[in-house]
Amino acid sequence: MLKSTKYDFIFLGAGCASLSLLMRMIQRGKFGDKKILLIDKEPKINNDRTWCFWEKSNGFFEDIVYKKWDTVSFLSDDYSSAMNIAPYQYKMIRGIDFYDHCFSEINKQANVEVTYGHIHSIIKKGESLLVGIDDFEFNTGDAIVFNSIYEPATVSNNSIKLLQHFKGWIIRTAKPVFDPQKAIMMDFRVHQSYGTTFAYVLPLTENTALVEYTLFTKDLLTADQYRDELKDYLHQFHEINSYVIEEEEFGVIPMTNEKFTFKAKGWQIGTAGGQTKASSGYTFQFIQKQSEQILNQLIAGKSLSLIPATAKRFSFYDNTLLHILYHNKLPGDKIFAQLFKKNKPQQVLRFLDNETSLKEELKIISTLPTLPFLKAALRQF
């Protein structure tokens, strides 16, 4: 199954995190003499997801950004605004474009081996791992292993886990109904009976858009519920009743305060390494930051354990908000409405990126309802 029994680097999973790091390793040209193994369950041939994020300048994957917007809207019953977010741009990358871009480069590398199979077990064996793929097992030996396969941590008394789950359609209408220059980033006007719920609309042309229905809740909906909610949203808020669904996507992301630990020589990456922001679910840009940090450590020949940890106060903020959402102490739509109503959008985006100063954070926090957040904050201690 494998072409070798010895590798320098092994990637378990070929999603956003593994490919973001591997592409950087290839681009730097410092690892051509290293044997690299990439394992995933199947070839990436479907447009199975969309990544949306904000960025000030051209990023590492700028060439495959499918669409970007300078103006985004926040909509709710309490506050609505179309916001120019300069110097940020809101960007969209399609999954299939990302995969095609990465594998077109990976397939040129003689030192990179790609193999497919279901990874069903990862067991610590001394300082290495015993990895089970289909009916085959192999020892990772001295390889540095990057694991992006999320496994829920052992439940503790203080652990909280919500699910961010979403169903999206790319629709095409017969008549022009969208403004391609304006995206809806969050639309909380939808009912909140399931829990924190919003929709967003990313117009691609005057006739096509990605319409997504997103929830932060403990449980998933049925397939019929996602479908009905998307149909109702398009009808009620956009007066769109006739359209063709050209593509569909569905995903589930854990929003959790779990602590992620690795079993051997290597590093947890992506959602499996805590790069999904616990309070909002945003992941793509945190993966890019982590990939840069890992790359720099590898090139410098330094231990990955020396990568600076994210300031603990950001985990504190995330856990506080997660506690509020999980226990329904305050509706999520009210919280996000206050954030955008009382702060400049650029400050909110910086805060969600964990890039604000303590002074800025105190100002932002002061705009949120005091008592529920104070009680939730005290619970963190």
Side-chain angles (χ1 to χ4, degrees):
M1 183 177 185
L2 301 180
K3 295 179 182 178
S4 174
T5 57
K6 181 175 174 59
Y7 297 92
D8 297 289
F9 299 101
I10 296 173
F11 290 86
L12 304 181
C16 181
S18 290
L19 297 180
S20 294
L21 176 54
L22 181 53
M23 285 293 287
R24 283 171 166 83
M25 293 172 68
I26 291 171
Q27 187 209 51
R28 285 291 185 94
K30 303 285 187 181
F31 303 91
D33 61 339
K34 304 298 183 182
K35 298 184 71 171
I36 301 174
L37 175 64
L38 177 65
I39 308 171
D40 202 50
K41 60 182 178 181
E42 58 191 7
K44 301 286 190 179
I45 58 174
N46 297 314
N47 190 34
D48 59 352
R49 68 197 61 221
T50 302
W51 288 288
C52 298
F53 56 98
W54 50 88
E55 200 168 36
K56 286 184 179 179
S57 56
N58 290 350
F60 186 81
F61 290 107
E62 190 68 26
D63 289 346
I64 55 170
V65 170
Y66 190 75
K67 183 74 176 173
K68 49 190 173 184
W69 299 267
D70 299 312
T71 299
V72 298
S73 293
F74 177 89
L75 305 173
S76 75
D77 292 336
D78 296 326
Y79 173 74
S80 294
S81 176
M83 307 173 292
N84 185 305
I85 57 173
Y88 290 101
Q89 288 183 308
Y90 197 65
K91 301 181 179 182
M92 167 185 170
I93 291 179
R94 302 192 316 156
I96 192 62
D97 296 337
F98 182 83
Y99 303 139
D100 288 349
H101 172 72
C102 293
F103 279 99
S104 67
E105 193 61 39
I106 290 169
N107 291 336
K108 298 175 187 176
Q109 311 303 314
N111 65 313
V112 180
E113 177 185 344
V114 181
T115 192
Y116 297 105
H118 172 59
I119 299 175
H120 56 79
S121 62
I122 304 172
I123 303 170
K124 181 174 174 59
K125 193 172 182 64
E127 294 301 314
S128 60
L129 297 174
L130 191 64
V131 179
I133 309 174
D134 293 335
D135 57 357
F136 172 78
E137 284 187 336
F138 79 99
N139 193 304
T140 60
D142 294 328
I144 294 177
V145 181
F146 297 107
N147 180 29
S148 64
I149 299 174
Y150 171 73
E151 296 180 26
T154 303
V155 176
S156 67
N157 291 336
N158 295 319
S159 65
I160 296 176
K161 181 179 176 181
L162 281 176
L163 301 175
Q164 178 188 143
H165 46 116
F166 48 88
K167 177 71 175 181
W169 293 340
I170 291 182
I171 64 169
R172 179 177 296 275
T173 59
K175 298 179 180 179
V177 294
F178 302 109
D179 182 347
Q181 305 308 313
K182 297 180 180 179
I184 298 176
M185 181 181 175
M186 289 181 169
D187 190 343
F188 279 100
R189 294 175 299 171
V190 297
H191 73 81
Q192 304 292 305
S193 59
Y194 299 126
T196 300
T197 309
F198 63 93
Y200 62 86
V201 181
L202 303 182
L204 309 178
T205 69
E206 292 181 340
N207 296 75
T208 59
L210 170 64
V211 184
E212 199 102 15
Y213 186 76
T214 303
L215 307 97
F216 298 168
T217 61
K218 300 174 186 178
D219 302 304
L220 303 181
L221 304 185
T222 66
D224 288 346
Q225 286 175 308
Y226 292 111
R227 180 201 62 212
D228 292 344
E229 297 296 352
L230 277 166
K231 288 175 63 177
D232 288 348
Y233 174 71
L234 287 168
H235 168 72
Q236 181 177 353
F237 296 104
H238 299 279
E239 298 181 347
I240 298 174
N241 299 301
S242 179
Y243 49 87
V244 175
I245 301 171
E246 296 195 327
E247 295 182 29
E248 298 187 46
E249 65 178 32
F250 175 76
V252 182
I253 300 172
M255 297 168 60
T256 177
N257 62 355
E258 294 171 329
K259 303 300 182 184
F260 297 92
T261 58
F262 196 41
K263 302 173 181 176
K265 182 181 178 182
W267 210 246
Q268 295 283 109
I269 58 176
T271 296
Q275 298 309 299
T276 292
K277 188 169 176 65
S279 60
S280 66
Y282 285 109
T283 307
F284 187 84
Q285 283 294 72
F286 288 102
I287 284 175
Q288 304 313 311
K289 292 176 186 177
Q290 186 193 50
S291 297
E292 284 290 335
Q293 291 177 319
I294 292 174
L295 179 73
N296 292 333
Q297 292 297 100
L298 292 176
I299 290 175
K302 296 181 179 179
S303 170
L304 298 181
S305 63
L306 298 177
I307 293 175
T310 302
K312 289 184 178 180
R313 67 181 190 275
F314 290 111
S315 295
F316 175 76
Y317 305 148
D318 285 337
N319 292 345
T320 300
L321 180 53
L322 196 61
H323 177 90
I324 288 174
L325 296 178
Y326 185 85
H327 294 286
N328 297 313
K329 299 296 184 182
L330 197 66
D333 61 323
K334 306 296 183 186
I335 296 171
F336 283 98
Q338 288 288 88
L339 274 176
F340 282 100
K341 181 179 181 179
K342 297 188 175 182
N343 300 280
K344 293 180 179 179
Q346 293 85 350
Q347 286 295 95
V348 176
L349 298 182
R350 277 171 50 79
F351 181 60
L352 294 176
D353 273 343
N354 295 354
E355 292 181 351
T356 43
S357 66
L358 180 58
K359 181 179 179 181
E360 292 171 316
E361 291 147 24
L362 292 175
K363 179 181 179 300
I364 289 173
I365 292 169
S366 71
T367 65
L368 298 171
T370 303
L371 189 58
F373 274 86
L374 180 59
K375 288 182 177 179
L378 291 173
R379 286 292 299 267
Q380 305 311 310
F381 295 104

